[in-house]
Amino acid sequence: MAELVEQVRAFTEWVGAGRKLTQTGRLTLADAKALVPLLGTSDVLEQTIGDHVYRTRSSERLLDLMLVVECAKVAGLVRKTGQRLVQVKKNQALLDDPQKLWLALFTRFDQVGEVFLRPGFGESLLRPEFADGSRAALTSLYNAEGAVDIARLCTTVWNVVSAPYVLDDLTELQLETLRITTDRDTKQVLEALRRLGAVTLRDESAELTDLGRAGMRRLLGMPEAGDPIYQVKITLLEIEGLPVWRRVLVPADIRLDRLHVVIQAAMGWENYHLHYFLDGETHYGEAEPELQYRDERKVRLKDLVKPGGRLEYNYDFGDSWDHEILVEEAKVATADGRYPRCVAGQAACPPEDVGGTGGYARLIQILGEPGHEEHQDIVGWLGLDDPSRFDAARFSLDEANQRLAVQR
């Protein structure tokens, strides 16, 4: 059994009937000190530097232990209720099924968050962007045929986690420090995945284990033969002229955050903007407190929609592109099938930031009128040498599936 899985099991059993928490909802320092040797974490309770002894004064500073605690939480084995930490009885069967427990921990690893990465002074960009950064590392490992240089993984993660920030005003030293701390935390993530049994680390490279590769297939929504899949039709609403739609085969239990990626790739969007799903009553989206959406990572398509049912998807709150997701029928995956897979479609995806359905209609109108005063401006905005190169009716099934393959 993987080291981290065993530690999570032992911690859950230690919680037993419940343990008292501090007023801030943390483990008491006394309990934390007892857990470090019990679980065999690598945390240092006190450190001597010169003549001074530095002692840990808060459990949240024991980052290795915090990883174990958070893993138990995201797996649904324990939860905080009031000022106590208690077991979740309905999920205790996971403790007797190491395979299911491992899968629960692996597929929810991106929900662990920043608890086991260094906070405060010297904090990295990976810490607040943990979900995207950890997923980028795993996807890069999955797409590789063999081992990947850790330096290359660090670059991949840096490119992803730094993208949301404007760093132009930083000094060279500040930028270098951010990069160093982010690389440090990327290696911490790889070490955590090694302890989970998902990654093998050797020399300066990392590689997914067979277990990790199987877990990635589940994480990316790639079903096994015989598993249920949905045939869904994604239609862009309120488009004048030729309707824009895609027909896609997806696993029935695909998470909504993965379905978002599928829609982006199949339609041809570039994932620049925010989005949400709506089932008629509840909004689902990224776990941002300001948005107050239900976390899309914790909801699966089959739990919201059955064959014949519909779901709304909105992309870009400015242009407000509304899509209808119609579950046309339920099927089963075949042994040689690739999922998600686009099987049909019609018309081109509108350009990003064109101004919504009204702006898109106006763009098409101006492109069709070479004498229009804004014609050349629109051609230049699209980055075209020849306006005929933009064909609103064009759809390529091969290109749609190439985009889907890259997004995995």
Side-chain angles (χ1 to χ4, degrees), residues 214-236:
M216 281 300 292
R217 286 182 58 85
R218 291 294 297 273
L219 183 64
L220 296 175
M222 300 175 67
E224 304 295 335
D227 285 349
I229 60 174
Y230 278 169
Q231 176 177 296
V232 301
K233 185 177 182 181
I234 306 162
T235 304
L236 188 55

Side-chain angles (χ1 to χ4, degrees), residues 55-76:
R55 294 182 175 85
T56 300
R57 299 186 181 279
S58 172
S59 63
E60 64 184 321
R61 296 294 180 178
L62 303 173
L63 302 181
D64 201 3
L65 176 59
M66 290 301 99
L67 172 62
V68 176
V69 174
E70 198 65 20
C71 282
K73 288 180 179 178
V74 300

Side-chain angles (χ1 to χ4, degrees), residues 134-172:
S134 61
R135 177 66 68 86
L138 282 168
T139 302
S140 182
L141 287 168
Y142 181 74
N143 288 334
E145 294 184 358
V148 180
D149 289 342
I150 291 177
R152 175 181 157 194
L153 287 172
C154 287
T155 298
T156 297
V157 172
W158 168 258
N159 290 337
V160 169
V161 302
S162 64
Y165 301 92
V166 178
L167 305 177
D168 297 342
D169 294 336
L170 296 183
T171 66
E172 185 175 333

Side-chain angles (χ1 to χ4, degrees), residues 144-215:
E145 294 184 358
V148 180
D149 289 342
I150 291 177
R152 175 181 157 194
L153 287 172
C154 287
T155 298
T156 297
V157 172
W158 168 258
N159 290 337
V160 169
V161 302
S162 64
Y165 301 92
V166 178
L167 305 177
D168 297 342
D169 294 336
L170 296 183
T171 66
E172 185 175 333
L173 178 59
Q174 289 172 324
L175 191 61
E176 181 183 6
T177 300
L178 265 182
R179 180 61 192 267
I180 290 172
T181 57
T182 300
D183 288 355
R184 176 203 67 205
D185 283 357
T186 298
K187 294 172 184 178
Q188 284 290 97
V189 169
L190 292 173
E191 172 59 19
L193 290 168
R194 182 202 65 78
R195 290 171 52 199
L196 189 55
V199 168
T200 297
L201 299 177
R202 57 173 67 90
D203 297 327
E204 297 298 321
S205 67
E207 184 175 3
L208 281 180
T209 61
D210 290 342
L211 189 60
R213 190 161 289 276

Side-chain angles (χ1 to χ4, degrees), residues 100-329:
K100 286 186 178 180
L101 176 56
W102 182 90
L103 190 61
L105 292 172
F106 180 79
T107 55
R108 299 168 192 171
F109 183 76
D110 62 354
Q111 299 176 36
V112 170
E114 72 264 9
V115 294
F116 73 107
L117 302 179
R118 189 180 305 173
F121 181 77
E123 182 172 319
S124 74
L125 289 182
L126 177 56
R127 195 169 189 268
E129 305 295 334
F130 181 81
D132 289 340
S134 61
R135 177 66 68 86
L138 282 168
T139 302
S140 182
L141 287 168
Y142 181 74
N143 288 334
E145 294 184 358
V148 180
D149 289 342
I150 291 177
R152 175 181 157 194
L153 287 172
C154 287
T155 298
T156 297
V157 172
W158 168 258
N159 290 337
V160 169
V161 302
S162 64
Y165 301 92
V166 178
L167 305 177
D168 297 342
D169 294 336
L170 296 183
T171 66
E172 185 175 333
L173 178 59
Q174 289 172 324
L175 191 61
E176 181 183 6
T177 300
L178 265 182
R179 180 61 192 267
I180 290 172
T181 57
T182 300
D183 288 355
R184 176 203 67 205
D185 283 357
T186 298
K187 294 172 184 178
Q188 284 290 97
V189 169
L190 292 173
E191 172 59 19
L193 290 168
R194 182 202 65 78
R195 290 171 52 199
L196 189 55
V199 168
T200 297
L201 299 177
R202 57 173 67 90
D203 297 327
E204 297 298 321
S205 67
E207 184 175 3
L208 281 180
T209 61
D210 290 342
L211 189 60
R213 190 161 289 276
M216 281 300 292
R217 286 182 58 85
R218 291 294 297 273
L219 183 64
L220 296 175
M222 300 175 67
E224 304 295 335
D227 285 349
I229 60 174
Y230 278 169
Q231 176 177 296
V232 301
K233 185 177 182 181
I234 306 162
T235 304
L236 188 55
L237 303 178
E238 301 179 5
I239 291 291
E240 295 181 8
L242 194 63
V244 181
W245 59 270
R246 308 286 185 262
R247 180 168 286 119
V248 184
L249 300 178
V250 300
D253 67 349
I254 189 171
R255 290 182 350 193
L256 292 191
D257 62 315
R258 288 297 305 161
L259 181 60
H260 156 68
V261 173
V262 169
I263 295 171
Q264 289 285 308
M267 292 297 297
W269 296 118
E270 298 183 55
N271 203 10
Y272 288 158
H273 304 286
L274 296 172
H275 69 278
Y276 68 75
F277 292 90
L278 177 64
D279 64 0
E281 298 180 356
T282 305
H283 288 82
Y284 306 85
E286 295 183 6
E288 291 288 343
E290 295 82 2
L291 297 176
Q292 296 184 336
Y293 293 160
R294 185 176 172 188
D295 190 346
E296 64 185 357
R297 299 173 300 175
K298 300 181 180 180
V299 183
R300 299 184 182 275
L301 181 60
K302 68 178 182 181
D303 297 328
L304 293 182
V305 189
K306 304 302 179 186
R310 290 171 169 80
L311 192 64
E312 179 184 335
Y313 171 79
N314 180 278
Y315 172 61
D316 185 353
F317 297 170
D319 283 3
S320 192
W321 298 103
D322 286 320
H323 304 66
E324 177 193 73
I325 304 171
L326 169 64
V327 178
E328 294 183 313
E329 61 177 306

